[in-house]
Amino acid sequence: MKLLALGAAAVALALLPGTASADELPTFDFTDCPAPPSNADPGTWRCEAFVSQGKLTIGDQAIPLGEMRLTFSEGRVNGQYAQVFGALEHEPVRVPGLAGTTLQLRYGGYSDFQGNDERRGELDIYAVLRHPLLRKECSIGTAAAPLHTVVHDDPALPPTVLSKNPPTFHFGVVDPDLALPATQDCGPLGKLVDRKLGLPSRSEFHQTTYVQYKQL
């Protein structure tokens, strides 16, 4: 998981007064920035590179998701807002309580990072589970039936301008009501995994995100 960091920095971020200093910034990678469509309005497109630290909370159990990286491009086509997804990168992380098991988030085929007054953005993801005794298809959600996360601003970490050149921001997002189904295609141990993780269940998904823009 474009689990994900998630949501584009809305225009309101650029209007925040002043800047905040950042002692240490992550290295932003624009390699996976998608090119604007052929009919894009010239000069309106930029790529956004996100570097996030995530956490998934199921009941009283927290699963640190480690670093997630996401890129997408946005701009105008015939005067209308448009966006193109780039890539979601997430290294497998260990699952507490399930020795030898890892979890890796993958892109589920849908994203909308045009923030508004109701939410920061939306993203479809699914989680691949790996263990020598689990089937290789074992997952929470699938590419065909992904998890749909809707992230909102986290009041504990409001948007902060770190740099105006290049434009760089820091903020937090949260999905307080992410629905997690039972595991799928895990084999005979699937029920054990569900019991250990408390699935199916509602969960909370948090991200602490840095984002930087690059004009295309």
Side-chain angles (χ1 to χ4, degrees):
M1 296 160 156
K2 240 142 142 267
L3 263 160
L4 348 161
L6 305 175
V11 175
L13 288 182
L15 300 179
L16 288 175
T19 59
S21 61
D23 295 330
E24 293 185 16
L25 284 177
T27 300
F28 296 95
D29 186 357
F30 294 92
T31 304
D32 292 322
C33 291
S38 59
N39 58 343
D41 296 354
T44 66
W45 280 75
R46 68 185 183 187
C47 181
E48 301 193 17
F50 291 75
V51 182
S52 302
Q53 292 286 330
K55 180 178 69 173
L56 185 65
T57 303
I58 308 171
D60 59 357
Q61 178 178 212
I63 301 176
L65 297 175
E67 183 178 275
M68 294 167 282
R69 290 179 173 263
L70 180 150
T71 53
F72 79 98
S73 297
E74 65 177 358
R76 298 273 174 182
V77 174
N78 297 324
Q80 301 297 314
Y81 177 82
Q83 54 188 291
V84 181
F85 183 79
L88 170 66
E89 297 181 1
H90 180 233
E91 292 295 323
V93 295
R94 295 189 179 277
V95 181
L98 289 171
T101 304
T102 63
L103 179 150
Q104 182 182 35
L105 297 178
R106 295 184 180 176
Y107 179 54
Y110 172 80
S111 61
D112 181 1
F113 300 112
Q114 187 178 25
N116 56 40
D117 292 340
E118 295 181 357
R119 89 289 187 276
R120 174 69 64 184
E122 302 181 27
L123 181 70
D124 280 1
I125 54 174
Y126 62 101
V128 175
L129 296 172
R130 290 284 185 264
H131 186 278
L133 299 180
L134 296 175
R135 291 177 180 168
K136 65 178 182 178
E137 299 87 0
C138 182
S139 66
I140 304 171
T142 65
L147 315 173
H148 183 66
T149 179
V150 180
V151 295
H152 308 267
D153 288 326
D154 186 349
L157 191 59
T160 301
V161 180
L162 300 179
S163 170
K164 292 183 178 179
N165 186 23
T168 308
F169 305 92
H170 185 219
F171 59 92
V173 293
V174 57
D175 182 347
D177 197 29
L178 176 62
L180 296 180
T183 57
Q184 298 185 53
D185 300 321
C186 293
L189 295 181
K191 296 294 184 182
L192 173 63
V193 174
D194 288 340
R195 187 164 63 251
K196 288 284 188 178
L197 294 180
L199 301 177
S201 176
R202 296 286 176 178
S203 68
E204 282 195 352
F205 172 62
H206 288 82
Q207 280 183 287
T208 299
T209 298
Y210 293 89
V211 59
Q212 189 171 95
Y213 301 162
K214 177 183 178 181
Q215 289 301 125
L216 297 176

